[in-house]
Amino acid sequence: MINTRRNFVNKLMLGLFSVATFVALVPLFALLGYVIKNGITSLNLDFFTKLPAVMGMSGGGMANAIAGTLILIAIASIIGIPIGILVAIYLTEYDRYSWLSTTVRFTTDVLTGIPSIIIGIVVSMAIVAKTKHFSAFAGGVSLAVIMIPLVIRSTEEMLKLVPHAIREAGYALGISQRRIILNIVLPTAAKGIITGAMLAVARVSGETAPLLFTALGNQYWTHSLFKDPIASLPVQIYTYATSPYDEWHRQAWAGSLVLIAIILCLNLIARFAFRSRSN
Amino acid sequence: MSTDNNRLYESMGDKVLRYVTLLMAILVVILMIWIGWQMFSSSQESIQHFGWAFITSRVWDPVHHIFGALPFIYGTIVTSVVALIIAAPIGISVAIFLNEMAPSTIRKVVAFLVELLAAIPSVVYGLWGIFVLAPVLRQSVEPWLTKWFGFIPWFKGAPVGFDMFGGGIILAIMILPTITSISREVMAAVPTAHREAALALGATKWEMIRLSVLSYSKSGILGSIMLGLGRALGETMAVTMVIGNMPKISSSLFSSAYSMAAVIANEFTEATYSLYLSSCIEIGLILFGITLLLNIFARLLVWSVARGPKGGHLV
C-alpha cells in the first residue's frame, strides 16, 4: 500500500520534470519559428547591400548595420580576448590559490552579473562624454568589458585541464616558465580557448543596451571609428521594432534572422569545429 | 657569454610575462571598483538634491525637474518576481531532468537547446514579445485569467498585453537557462556515492533526488535562483519593449509599467540637463547596488557548493 503511494509519487514527480522540460523548450521553437517565417520573406539581396530607406519608405537594407556589428565585434575582440587570456594565465599558471587570485576570480564572476546597461553608462561617461563623440570605439570598449570576464572564465577552465605532467616535463628539460606557458600550455589548450572566445563573441554580438549610449546608431555609413556613431544590427532591430511602420517591422524580423544566424554559426563552429577532446 | 645573455633574456621574458598577466589581473579588480565609483560619483548631484526621497517619490517629471524612482523600482521588482515564480520551478526541473533522468543523447540535445535559449539576443525576445506574445496575452491569456481569477487584484483590469505580466513572462524565458545551467553545475557536484546510498536503501528515484541531490545542493540551487533574479533585474531591451513604459504603480499585473533599466535605456541620451542625467545615473546606481549584492551573495552560495566547503583547493 505504501509502496503504491511511493511509486505513484515517484512517477508523478518524474513526469512533472519531463513536462517542465518540454514546456521550457516551447518558447524556443515559437520564437525561432516566427523569426524564420517573418524574416525569410523580408530577406533579399538589397537587405545585405543597401542602406536603410528613408523613414517609412519601402526597400532599403541593413548593410551598414551588418558591417557595423562586425566592426564592433572586431574592436571588442581585439581588446577583450587578449586581456581575458592574460588574466586567465595569471590565475592558472602563476597564482592559483592566493587571496589575490581568489579576489580576481570572484570579481570576474560578479562582473558577469553586472547589467550590461550599467557598463553602457560607465563607458559612455568615460569615453563619449570626454571625446564628445558617440563612436565605434566606445561601443567596442563597452562590449569588451562584457567579454573580458567570459573569456577569463572559459580560458581558465581550459588551462586547468592541461595536465601538470606536461609543465613538469618542460621544467625538467630546463625550459623557462614563459616558454612553457606560451609554447606548451597555450597550444595544448588552444582549441578550448578559441571555443570560449567564440562563445564570448557570440554572447556580445547580440548586446543592445550598452550600444545605445556608446555606438548610438546610424542610418548611413560610418567614416571614422572614433568620431562617428555607428549602426549595429541589434540597435537597428530595436529602432525598427518600436517604430510604427510595417515596412520597418519586416526589416526588424529580417535583421533578427541575420543576427541569430550569425550567433548560431559562431556557436556551432565553436562547439563542433574546435571541440576539444575533453568535452 | 652568449648562454649567459640567453639566460638573462629568458629570465627577463619570464618576469615580463608574469608582471603583464599580474597587471591585467589587478586591472579586472580595478575595473570593477571603477565602475562602482563612476556610478556613485556621477549620481552625486541627484543624491544631494533629492536624498532618500528619490527612492520613495512616485513623480518622474523631467519638465519640472522632479525625479523619483519608485515606479521604476516597483516595475523592476514585480516583473522579476513574476519571472522567478515561473522560471525557478521549471528551470530546476529541467536541471533535474538533464542531470538525473535523461539518457545521454537526449541530454546533449536538450542541453544544447537550453543554451540556445540563452544565446538569443534580448532585442529579438523583445521583437517577438511585441508582435507575438503581447497580442496573445491581450486576446486570450489575460482575459481568461481575469475571468477565472479576477477576484485576485493581480489579475484585475483591462488587458493591454504590454504590461508587467508580459514583461515577467519574457524575463522568465530569458533567465531559465541561467537557473538551469547553474543548478546543473551544483547538482553535478553531488557525489555519486550519495545517490547510490539512497538507492541502496530502497529509495525510489524521486526520493533519491530529494534526499541526496536536492538536499545536498539546495544552497547552490538557491544561488542559481538569485543569479537568475540578478539577470532579470538588469535585463533591459526585452523588458523595455514589452512593459509599456508608463511610470505608474498598480496592483494589477495587467497594467503598463516601467522598469529601472528601461527608463535608463529610453532617457539617458535624451537627458538635457545635468540633474536629469544624474537622476538617470542614480537609478543605474541603485540597480548596480542591488545586482552587485545579489551576485556577491549568490556566488558565495554557488562557490560553497560547487567547489567544496573550505579552501576549494581541489583542481
Side-chain angles (χ1 to χ4, degrees), chain A residues 130-154:
Chain A
K130 294 277 187 310
T131 62
K132 311 277 179 215
H133 292 288
F134 293 100
S135 65
F137 175 67
V141 169
S142 63
L143 296 185
V145 173
I146 299 169
M147 266 177 89
I148 288 171
L150 304 173
V151 176
I152 294 176
R153 296 308 286 177
S154 63

Side-chain angles (χ1 to χ4, degrees), chain A residues 81-96 101 104-105 151-160 167 177-178 180-183 185-187 189 193, chain B residues 14 16-22 24-25:
Chain A
I81 294 176
I83 295 181
I85 292 177
L86 285 172
V87 176
I89 290 176
Y90 180 78
L91 293 178
T92 45
E93 303 302 317
Y94 288 115
D95 184 9
R96 280 200 189 184
S101 58
V104 172
R105 223 170 259 136
V151 176
I152 294 176
R153 296 308 286 177
S154 63
T155 308
E156 196 195 350
E157 292 305 317
M158 288 306 137
L159 292 179
K160 271 191 197 160
R167 296 186 182 92
Q177 194 177 16
R178 173 182 59 117
I180 291 174
I181 294 170
L182 296 182
N183 296 1
V185 176
L186 281 185
I193 295 174
Chain B
D14 267 5
V16 169
L17 183 64
R18 186 187 181 109
Y19 287 120
V20 168
T21 58
L22 173 66
M24 290 300 158

